[in-house]
Amino acid sequence: MSSQKQFLDPNIIVKLGKVNLVARLVVEGFISGLHKSPFRGFNVEFAEHRPYLPGDEIRHIDWKVFGKSDKFYIKQFEEETNLKGYIFLDKSASMAFPQNKKSVSKLTYGCYLAASLAYLMLKQRDSVGLVTFDSRIQKFIPPRSQAGHLHQLHEALTDLEGEGTTDLASVFHQLAERIRRRALIIVISDLFSASDAGVVNALKHLRHLKHEIIVFHLLSREELQLEFSGIGQFTDLESGEKLIALPREIKREYQEKMTAFLDFYRSSLREANIDYQPLDTSQPLEYPLFSYLSSRMRRRK
């Protein structure tokens, strides 16, 4: 494994600390070149002309217009002018797990994921915005495509803390009313909520408005496997409720319920034509991104 890829291991990127640096390493070090435009693609109908700029591809020059005006103009298409992306990042208290210096928390992992996706989209000249939330919308940064916009997004992600309770359904319904123009919506969350069915219905509300939706479901290895030894006290990070239990005695039942939880979202979102990608935060960040973008590329061929 190269030194660059080693930086992307969750246990190392948390020490690296720089959101913009990790984003650049993820995108340029592993994903760049995988697919020229993995997120674009509602349609490719002609929209308008714009002046030629250094770096534009010559094949997009409209030579008929050049013949009439003696000036270079680029044909711009709907996919270049209309695609807006929103990253919805859950910052509730449960996302702060695990709370130790040896492992990366779901929120930190989610911040690096959000930064990497934003970097990738802006690199291909799409516009992208950011929404952070817990039980309500905390920050709403509208999509922009300027290179300088990346700094604003990274600033919002830096030192973001996991706190507050969760109300995913309410937040998604609010955002459905606020974002009316067709967009690509990327949800990054552990999907812990009072009603899983309510969350799916809220996502369907967004889907009904013709938004394309990708859900990255973040869970830690400890949550997936209940990897604890000895009797311990478990605390709900959002409600504060405490439970004393012996993990080995409840592990089987716990894992059955976790499997049912994952299966519910996998099947329900598939039926709603929503992309679903579960992520184990102990995995190096580039692996799930590579897997997802590869499958997306294959579907579009």
Side-chain angles (χ1 to χ4, degrees):
M1 181 178 289
S2 69
S3 60
Q4 188 177 61
K5 288 185 181 179
Q6 288 175 1
F7 277 127
L8 305 179
D9 183 280
N11 293 323
I12 296 177
I13 61 175
V14 70
K15 298 175 184 177
L16 195 61
K18 298 288 187 179
V19 170
N20 59 341
L21 176 58
V22 173
R24 189 169 69 251
L25 287 173
V26 171
V27 174
E28 294 186 349
F30 197 83
I31 298 175
S32 184
L34 167 68
H35 188 213
K36 187 174 181 181
S37 182
F39 289 121
R40 292 184 187 175
F42 292 139
N43 57 64
V44 290
E45 295 178 2
F46 173 76
E48 60 185 2
H49 290 96
R50 65 168 174 78
Y52 173 85
L53 297 173
D56 285 334
E57 294 188 41
I58 296 177
R59 64 190 178 93
H60 291 317
I61 292 176
D62 192 324
W63 296 106
K64 290 183 179 179
V65 174
F66 172 75
K68 296 177 181 178
S69 65
D70 201 31
K71 294 181 180 179
F72 292 114
Y73 284 90
I74 293 292
K75 290 182 179 179
Q76 202 164 15
F77 299 91
E78 289 291 339
E79 67 172 19
E80 297 177 285
T81 58
N82 284 358
L83 179 59
K84 292 184 180 293
Y86 292 86
I87 298 173
F88 296 176
L89 178 60
D90 183 352
K91 61 163 292 293
S92 61
S94 66
M95 290 288 286
F97 184 84
Q99 296 178 316
N100 60 64
K101 295 181 179 180
K102 295 181 179 180
S103 302
V104 58
S105 72
K106 290 179 288 184
L107 181 58
T108 299
Y109 194 95
C111 285
Y112 288 138
L113 175 59
S116 301
L117 292 168
Y119 185 93
L120 178 61
M121 294 177 73
L122 288 171
K123 189 178 180 68
Q124 62 185 29
R125 299 182 183 180
D126 292 329
S127 61
V128 60
L130 175 69
V131 178
T132 62
F133 65 92
D134 41 48
S135 60
R136 59 191 181 88
I137 299 168
Q138 293 294 338
K139 187 179 290 289
F140 187 103
I141 301 176
R144 294 187 179 88
S145 58
Q146 296 89 342
H149 184 52
L150 190 62
H151 177 73
Q152 182 183 8
L153 297 177
H154 286 172
E155 284 291 309
L157 293 169
T158 300
D159 299 325
L160 194 64
E161 295 184 2
E163 54 190 1
T165 57
T166 309
D167 191 347
L168 297 174
S170 175
V171 167
F172 293 160
H173 281 304
Q174 289 177 49
L175 290 168
E177 295 301 322
R178 186 167 182 174
I179 303 171
R180 307 300 296 186
R181 187 178 178 183
R182 191 181 184 192
L184 169 66
I185 292 174
I186 300 170
V187 177
I188 302 174
S189 172
D190 57 16
L191 299 181
F192 289 158
S193 190
S195 171
D196 296 331
V199 174
V200 171
N201 286 334
L203 289 170
K204 286 180 177 179
H205 184 182
L206 286 160
R207 191 71 188 92
H208 178 72
L209 297 173
K210 308 300 183 182
H211 298 305
E212 183 175 0
I213 305 173
I214 305 168
V215 176
F216 286 104
H217 189 180
L218 271 56
L219 292 168
S220 71
R221 177 63 58 86
E222 294 91 337
E223 290 169 327
L224 289 166
Q225 302 296 332
L226 198 66
E227 291 185 347
F228 300 97
S229 60
I231 192 168
Q233 177 175 276
F234 297 86
T235 304
D236 186 315
L237 293 178
E238 296 189 13
S239 69
E241 183 179 353
K242 300 181 186 300
L243 172 69
I244 296 177
L246 190 62
R248 61 183 174 82
E249 292 188 354
I250 63 172
K251 189 170 185 176
R252 181 175 178 180
E253 182 180 358
Y254 175 90
Q255 289 179 341
E256 288 175 351
K257 290 185 176 181
M258 177 58 71
T259 298
F261 173 61
L262 295 170
D263 286 346
F264 171 79
Y265 275 106
R266 184 178 292 106
S267 60
S268 298
L269 296 183
R270 184 188 299 117
E271 291 175 3
N273 199 24
I274 294 171
D275 284 359
Y276 172 74
Q277 183 70 39
L279 301 183
D280 177 347
T281 58
S282 68
Q283 293 182 346
L285 179 58
E286 74 271 29
Y287 293 162
L289 277 175
F290 180 85
S291 175
Y292 176 73
L293 294 180
S294 293
S295 65
R296 185 179 177 89
M297 179 181 66
R298 289 193 298 270
R299 290 199 305 271
R300 289 184 52 181
K301 283 185 176 179

